[in-house]
Amino acid sequence: IDLRQALAIGRQVRAEALETIAIVDTLRQESRAAATRPPALDLAALPDLTQPGPHVIRQVSITLVDVSRDRTYPADVFLPQNLAAIAGPLPIVVISHGLGDSRASFFALAAHVASHGFAVALPEHVGSNSTQKQAMLTGLDHETFRAQDFLDRPLDISFLLDELERLNDTTFEGRLDVSRVTAVGHSFGGYTALALGGATIDFDRLAQRCDPAANLLVDAAMVLECRALELRQNAAVMERFAQGTQDDRVKLVIALATVSNLLGPRGMAQVSVPVMVLGGEVDLLAPVVPQQVAAFSWLQGSDRYLYVGENTSHGPDLTKLLTQFLYIDASLEQSIEEAVSATGGVIKSLVVAFSQVYLNEQEDYRPFLRSAYVEAVSAEPFRLHLVRDLPPSVLERLEPGLPGLE
């Protein structure tokens, strides 16, 4: 055991934890202050978007065959059963799952959003899904994912949109509007959504950040990000990256617990569409400060939103586990399941509201995009807070030199 190395890592972990606590506390105060500013929020006058919408939904399963990439993968589309009951074409919400996960994990979110009058499409990212993870765990493969998934994932979404346009008349009664799309992604899927919104990988910066001598603390997100450097050895892939992965049909990006530090300031500055970023205070896999908060600070547009969840981790299951580990559940009036479900309901409502505002141009839903809304409807111990800009004290902490950000 290298004791000197161990002590250095311990100091770095502690420093990063203290920085995260300080930053989250500042954002909490900013959100609560913003919630008190006029106009006052009349919550009773707003529809309850945490509940399913008025439409009964149906599920359509399709198989996509992208000959140009020799890639075949399934997808599911959720949409209202009675399309005649909806005026005008339906915008599309596409959901990208994370590493080692599957599209089925987001069927509940998809059904909820579809019940509010959207078409929701979920591709299976073969090669970085739960099937690939199981193959690695059982010895059938030696990798949890392949580096080329950094390119294949956004291309999966674009090809899916192409297919939805092709199938529109025959399968969807000509009612889909493929020109208006929200890209939602979780973790690796968050990167996917940002890449569709125009973000690019800063390979030079990533090479510096992945230097073990400069970064003693290796977290799961960093391990994933550094795999992208393998792509530099593939001229064809790098040439395709040079063309960009932005899809002009994507009008809004929602990145949940996203892996995004590999994009850097230069890569995030390429995003020109509205962006909502959400991170958990105790996310050990994609830490909120070097991942979501930093990525948010690099966005240049005015339509940007950063949500931070107290006591929340990388996903519902990890949040439940951490809540039990920290004995937070002992002080809850309701069960952990109920508390996590309530928080999930708020996130569902935000996906609906953001899509209504930025795809359907429905300004009646803009109150849901204010700090006052999440401060009113989120509950202990997983309260959500929203800021539109980072205060100077937080920006100073994000300057080069903070662990994980150099």
Side-chain angles (χ1 to χ4, degrees):
I1 297 175
D2 188 332
L3 182 59
R4 183 176 300 176
Q5 177 96 345
L7 291 173
I9 291 175
R11 287 193 296 270
Q12 189 168 333
V13 170
R14 185 172 184 275
E16 193 167 291
L18 291 174
E19 289 290 351
T20 298
I21 291 171
I23 287 174
V24 171
D25 184 60
T26 300
L27 299 181
R28 180 189 301 113
Q29 295 176 38
E30 288 286 319
S31 179
R32 289 175 175 171
T36 65
R37 299 182 191 124
L41 179 71
D42 185 358
L43 190 61
L46 297 175
D48 187 357
L49 298 186
T50 66
Q51 298 301 310
H55 302 288
V56 176
I57 59 98
R58 61 187 170 105
Q59 181 178 350
V60 178
S61 298
I62 58 178
T63 298
L64 301 104
V65 182
D66 187 345
V67 177
S68 67
R69 294 185 295 147
D70 190 23
R71 191 167 171 86
T72 300
Y73 55 101
D76 287 275
V77 182
F78 291 75
L79 69 165
Q81 178 72 43
N82 183 13
L83 294 178
I86 301 176
L90 279 69
I92 296 172
V93 176
V94 62
I95 302 176
S96 174
H97 66 75
L99 176 64
D101 205 349
S102 76
R103 69 193 191 285
S105 296
F106 297 91
F107 279 178
L109 172 60
H112 183 93
V113 175
S115 74
H116 285 273
F118 295 89
V120 186
L122 307 96
E124 187 77 14
H125 295 295
V126 295
S128 59
N129 60 352
S130 56
T131 301
Q132 178 68 23
K133 180 176 73 173
Q134 188 62 26
M136 189 274 294
L137 293 175
T138 56
L140 297 177
D141 204 317
H142 66 283
E143 293 182 313
T144 54
F145 77 104
R146 294 169 178 78
Q148 189 163 327
D149 285 308
F150 284 101
L151 177 60
D152 276 329
R153 280 173 150 264
L155 295 184
D156 283 348
I157 304 292
S158 291
F159 186 76
L160 170 59
L161 295 177
D162 292 342
E163 285 296 284
L164 292 181
E165 188 167 16
R166 186 180 68 83
L167 296 171
N168 195 10
D169 289 338
T170 57
T171 306
F172 303 107
E173 302 173 30
R175 298 299 307 280
L176 303 186
D177 184 352
V178 186
S179 69
R180 291 182 292 152
V181 178
T182 295
V184 181
H186 173 257
S187 191
F188 201 3
Y191 155 80
T192 307
L194 288 166
L196 288 162
T200 57
I201 298 174
D202 188 336
F203 286 97
D204 292 337
R205 178 181 180 275
L206 185 61
Q208 294 180 339
R209 184 172 179 265
C210 291
D211 179 2
N215 295 276
L216 296 175
L217 180 60
V218 178
D219 56 44
M222 180 178 171
V223 171
L224 186 153
E225 291 175 324
C226 292
R227 289 286 308 279
L229 291 175
E230 298 173 20
L231 299 174
R232 296 177 115 178
Q233 309 304 316
N234 190 324
V237 170
M238 292 302 291
E239 182 179 352
R240 181 59 186 85
F241 262 121
Q243 299 173 29
T245 56
Q246 180 175 4
D247 194 311
D248 291 337
R249 294 169 292 192
V250 172
K251 309 301 184 188
L252 167 68
V253 168
I254 297 178
L256 310 174
T258 182
V259 172
S260 51
N261 206 258
L262 76 167
L263 304 169
R266 186 164 54 188
M268 286 295 291
Q270 305 304 312
V271 181
S272 58
V273 299
V275 178
M276 186 268 259
V277 177
L278 184 146
E281 179 183 20
V282 287
D283 188 341
L284 303 180
L285 298 181
V288 64
V289 173
Q291 293 295 336
Q292 296 90 50
V293 176
F296 174 79
S297 74
W298 300 326
L299 289 167
Q300 301 298 306
S302 58
D303 287 329
R304 58 179 188 170
Y305 304 77
L306 173 64
Y307 290 84
V308 176
E310 293 184 21
N311 299 308
T312 55
S313 188
H314 199 62
D317 291 339
L318 286 174
T319 295
K320 294 174 194 175
L321 182 64
L322 196 61
T323 301
Q324 293 171 321
F325 179 76
L326 297 176
Y327 299 103
I328 296 174
D329 60 312
S331 63
L332 295 180
E333 294 183 6
Q334 76 271 50
S335 69
I336 298 177
E337 290 284 349
E338 291 173 322
V340 171
S341 177
T343 302
V346 176
I347 294 173
K348 290 176 182 177
S349 75
L350 292 175
V351 175
V352 172
F354 270 91
S355 297
Q356 289 284 15
V357 170
Y358 287 107
L359 297 187
N360 284 334
E361 299 181 351
Q362 294 292 320
E363 290 299 312
D364 290 347
Y365 288 85
R366 197 168 285 276
F368 290 97
L369 278 54
R370 296 177 51 204
S371 298
Y373 173 68
V374 288
E375 293 292 341
V377 299
S378 61
E380 301 292 347
F382 309 122
R383 298 194 69 88
L384 287 172
H385 307 290
L386 163 66
V387 296
R388 300 292 306 279
D389 293 290
L390 296 179
S393 61
V394 171
L395 289 173
E396 290 173 2
R397 292 179 180 273
L398 295 179
E399 291 299 316
L402 183 64
L405 293 179
E406 59 272 88

